Amino acid sequence: MTDLAWIDGALTAARPQAVGALLRYFRDLDIAEEAFQDACLRALKAWPKNGPPRDPAAWLIMVGRNAAIDGVRKRSRQTALPDDEAALSDLDDAEAPLVERLDGADYRDDVLRLMFICCHPDLPQTQQIALALRIVSGLSVRQIARAFLVGESAMEQRITRAKAKIAGAGVAFETPGPVERAERLAAVAAMVYLIFNEGYSASGTEREDRAPLAAEAIRLGRLLLRLYQSEPEIMGLMALMLLQQSRSDARFDADGGIILMDDQDRGRWNRTMIGEGLALIDKAMRHRRTGPYLVQAAIAALHARAATPADTDWAQIDALYATLEQLQPSPVVTLNRAVATSKAHGPEAALAMIAPLEARLSGYFNYFGVKGALLLQMDRRTEAREAFDRAIALANSTAEAAHIRQHLDRLTADAKAAGIS
Amino acid sequence: MLYAILCYNAEDVVMSWSQAQDDAVMDQLGVVHQRLEREGKLGPSLRLMPTTAATTLHKQKDLVIDGPYAETKEQLLGLYIVDIAGLDEGLAIARELGKANPGGAYELRPLRLYLPGVDMPATESA
């Protein structure tokens, strides 16, 4: 009666809300996850027969809670329990008041809490992401292990250790105040963007296993935005992810090599994602409260709006980067700004802008890639070659190295053509 | 007789479809669309962006709220498709319409897909 693919989608969609509510009841992540798992198994039995419930999340919470309470009672060897069928037949009555409660703020706070516990500052970022993908998204340990290029048992251990750490740290279950809620939301937004970048930045052979993380981050972003409809920074985050992701099909050649934005086939940019990203920026701008995600989204939007690279409004992008430098001062932001500055005001201005960063970015691949490209534009070839050599030595992936090698090969070919060895 | 067929579904479920799943559904719908179009029965069909992209204007209070129209007291009585530069222009048009017809609300939701279909006859009391 109900198709299995639909059930699968409904279970995935309900997971953050259901596990979040179960965590609030039991205050124990393992019990909450087990309860949800139990509820899913029962859903797979009951839904094809009876059709899906009106509110799948409420059903899963109720059934999961009963299952977990039964489990606790069974373990403490108490009285006999009603069987599954009896428990399920009570659901229709119980569902209505629960649904009403779920519409309220509890539900938002449940999901936010569940996401927030994965952002514990003691956990390194990769563990935060792994934990979120396991707990919030419900990815299997195997899928996560593949995305992070480690063995399954190693990832299992990592997740277990991360869980132990957050269990020891204690989680605030009281309803958060406005300040605390804003802090949680900012931490969660940062984590969602990290997940996105794990997927978006993957290149070459890693793409197959890691690219789905970008889509998952977008799904989590939509969830956050549905809960916090009026937060311009969450709109900005969503727009940023959508506008970047819109280019994903055009970013790599057949061999998995990086294609820079100037050389991408803009016909392959995803117009649906661009449209949604632009609409979200429109909404966010009405709030007249700017933040780093929104500014970065606005930069991405100027690229998306340009029909050809020559149409790009570099002066406006340069100005937006200047705003971003104020909001979020960082040498990497300045480095990105330098690319826009070079297009708007020439390579000399850009080179002067990045020169003071060299000490802090001496281990950063992109710094020497940008520096080499600027020097090349100014025809300072020997220095350009030095910069590219350093960039190659610092490359994080074969795609990055291959990209720089193109520059070096061109320099060598030019030098040969000119009769210089 | 002209009818509108309004599509309802669980957004979070549809939004969790993979691209391949989404494409498969659209392909299946495409088969039906093509037949209806051949028969001259399919006018404009459209797919809306997610509710997270929506903005709602409450007409009498002139209050703009992020998100879809969430009240259940009112019923959906009509809709416009407009080709505009962005949300600000959309809100300006909605306010103008609201002056002509106060009460209730307008939800502005960008379209994800718009297929014009075949020409339809105008109804008599347009």
Side-chain angles (χ1 to χ4, degrees), chain B residues 22-98:
Chain B
D22 198 279
D23 291 346
V25 172
M26 293 309 279
D27 284 349
Q28 289 166 41
L29 291 170
V31 175
V32 184
H33 294 176
Q34 277 169 21
R35 199 203 77 227
L36 291 170
E37 226 173 305
R38 273 197 308 274
E39 292 170 3
K41 289 178 181 168
L42 188 67
S45 47
L46 33 121
R47 184 169 178 187
L48 305 179
M49 279 192 194
T51 52
T52 43
T55 305
T56 300
L57 172 73
H58 292 263
K59 288 195 250 176
Q60 254 150 8
K61 283 178 266 174
D62 191 40
L63 191 63
V64 179
I65 306 264
D66 291 300
Y69 187 67
E71 306 298 322
T72 48
K73 299 190 298 289
E74 289 86 359
Q75 282 72 42
L76 178 67
L77 299 182
L79 64 96
Y80 296 93
I81 308 294
V82 288
D83 186 1
I84 51 176
L87 180 61
D88 284 342
E89 191 183 352
L91 284 170
I93 292 172
R95 287 197 171 99
E96 200 182 337
L97 292 168

Side-chain angles (χ1 to χ4, degrees), chain A residues 285-299:
Chain A
M285 298 293 250
R286 283 192 47 261
H287 289 265
R288 311 203 177 282
R289 182 152 51 93
T290 196
Y293 291 120
L294 184 54
V295 174
Q296 291 175 81
I299 291 169

